[in-house]
Amino acid sequence: MGRIPWSGVPIVAANMATIGTLEMAEALAKSMWLTCLHKHYTAAEILSLSRDGQYFSAPTIGLDNASRETFRQVMEKQNDFKFVCIDVANGYIDNFSELVYNIRREYGDRVNIIAGNVVTPEGVRLLCKAGADFIKVGIGPGSACTTRKMTGVGFPQFSAVQMCVREARQIPGLSGIVADGGCVHPGDVSKAFAAGAQMVMLGGMLAGHDEAGGWEFDYTTNTMVPTFYGMASEHAMQTHYNQRNHYRAAEGKRVVIEPKGPVENTVREIMGGVRSACTYVGAKNLDELSKNSGFIKVNRQYNTAFGD
């Protein structure tokens, strides 16, 4: 998978501060899942991962110089990273495709590039031309994202994935689409693969676990509680940049959620759901899941007589 050989489960922890943690990377590596680390780690912290932790994770670069310098320092050392995630909310801006191009030119075939986000065939072609191997698709579907509410911009996630997959399959050398955002239940992960996504990225489904970040002290209960916040939220701006960008609106929210325990329990549920989906449609692998699946528009997905 990708221009650099890699073998693993193509389910990815999102590069969010409360999700893409070192602890999450080590835990998910045991199940051969990939973790896109958040971009606020130092090179020393990233390199502190075990060999498996490195093999099953990806440093993240944004438009800021600091994250790019951190990645340069990581790549100067002996490491087992096979991926880098280049991430921005709006993958259509010129300086983002230039960044992807420059990273490809600087590191050549040493890493697989995951880049995004876009939601249209034009965006897929743009980032593929710049040098991306995997293209993240999704604007606005995340559970901690308020882009659609605040800006009116977005695209229905399932339709975006299907449309971008069709385009990607026509481009020689492009490894595939990463469905980023919108999954709430294990069945949603199965649907993303069935729609043709090569990888599925998860944020909210992994929030609140022991290995996640964002744990804060609740003075009303005198206990530590897990929080989850979008990386374009006001909370993220204050936490990581110590300021609020007044030029643009915050496009995310912060929520307090119930503790979920070790992430391995959720991993088992998701993996079990995907395996059963393959069995139902007679698929021996994820490629066959896409080939064997069809979709019907419905008003209600499942029976909620006794709750969700």
Side-chain angles (χ1 to χ4, degrees):
M1 179 181 289
R3 72 178 65 202
I4 306 299
W6 181 83
S7 179
V9 177
I11 302 178
V12 189
N15 53 297
M16 305 172 74
T18 57
I19 304 300
T21 65
L22 299 174
E23 295 81 3
M24 186 70 75
E26 295 286 12
L28 295 183
K30 297 175 183 177
S31 299
M32 301 175 68
W33 286 27
L34 187 69
T35 298
C36 287
L37 302 169
H38 68 71
K39 68 177 184 177
H40 302 289
Y41 283 123
T42 66
E45 289 172 323
I46 294 172
L47 289 166
S48 71
L49 286 167
S50 65
R51 291 192 65 179
D52 278 353
Q54 292 182 22
Y55 185 82
F56 290 107
S57 65
T60 293
I61 299 174
L63 291 174
D64 59 296
N65 292 327
S67 60
R68 184 170 178 177
E69 174 61 19
T70 296
F71 182 65
R72 184 190 65 78
Q73 294 173 10
V74 168
M75 295 301 287
E76 285 179 345
K77 303 292 185 179
Q78 180 68 31
N79 67 76
D80 291 285
F81 293 105
K82 305 299 180 185
F83 291 89
V84 60
C85 177
I86 310 179
D87 176 75
V88 70
N90 179 3
Y92 295 92
I93 55 178
D94 291 340
N95 52 347
F96 181 69
S97 55
E98 290 172 5
L99 174 61
V100 175
Y101 174 81
N102 289 333
I103 294 298
R104 173 58 69 208
R105 183 178 62 177
E106 185 171 352
Y107 298 100
D109 291 339
R110 295 175 61 190
V111 290
N112 295 309
I113 294 178
I114 302 171
N117 284 33
V118 295
V119 288
T120 59
E122 294 81 3
V124 171
R125 291 195 298 270
L126 174 69
L127 296 184
C128 178
K129 184 177 180 180
D133 299 297
F134 296 88
I135 295 174
K136 290 203 293 133
V137 170
I139 293 180
S143 56
C145 179
T146 60
T147 295
R148 295 175 183 175
K149 176 181 177 181
M150 296 303 298
T151 72
V153 175
F155 205 103
Q157 180 68 351
F158 186 79
S159 297
V161 170
Q162 284 190 310
M163 189 165 57
C164 291
V165 164
R166 283 195 294 268
E167 183 66 24
R169 287 174 173 169
Q170 300 178 43
I171 302 176
L174 182 61
S175 297
I177 295 302
V178 181
D180 178 15
C183 290
V184 179
H185 305 290
D188 299 327
V189 179
S190 300
K191 290 174 188 174
F193 283 126
Q198 197 72 22
M199 292 184 172
V200 180
M201 179 172 275
L202 305 178
M205 288 187 73
L206 300 179
H209 291 93
D210 296 347
E211 299 83 357
W215 288 78
E216 300 178 7
F217 188 79
D218 184 349
Y219 289 94
T220 61
T221 61
N222 290 322
T223 60
M224 296 294 291
V225 296
T227 67
F228 175 56
Y229 56 86
M231 296 309 291
S233 66
E234 183 172 354
H235 184 78
M237 295 178 197
Q238 295 288 358
T239 300
H240 302 291
Y241 303 103
N242 197 31
Q243 62 180 355
R244 163 73 190 275
N245 185 340
H246 293 286
Y247 175 75
R248 50 175 289 185
E251 296 174 26
K253 58 186 176 183
R254 170 188 173 274
V255 294
V256 177
I257 55 182
E258 291 294 321
K260 298 178 183 177
V263 73
E264 63 180 314
N265 299 328
T266 296
V267 169
R268 278 197 296 267
E269 283 191 349
I270 294 171
M271 295 286 283
V274 174
R275 291 190 189 103
S276 292
C278 289
T279 302
Y280 273 109
V281 302
K284 297 177 181 178
N285 51 49
L286 292 178
D287 287 336
E288 288 191 7
L289 176 59
S290 176
K291 294 175 183 177
N292 294 4
S293 298
F295 300 97
I296 302 171
K297 187 176 181 179
V298 296
N299 290 325
R300 186 173 64 181
Q301 180 182 344
Y302 51 86
N303 192 325
T304 59
F306 296 104
D308 293 337

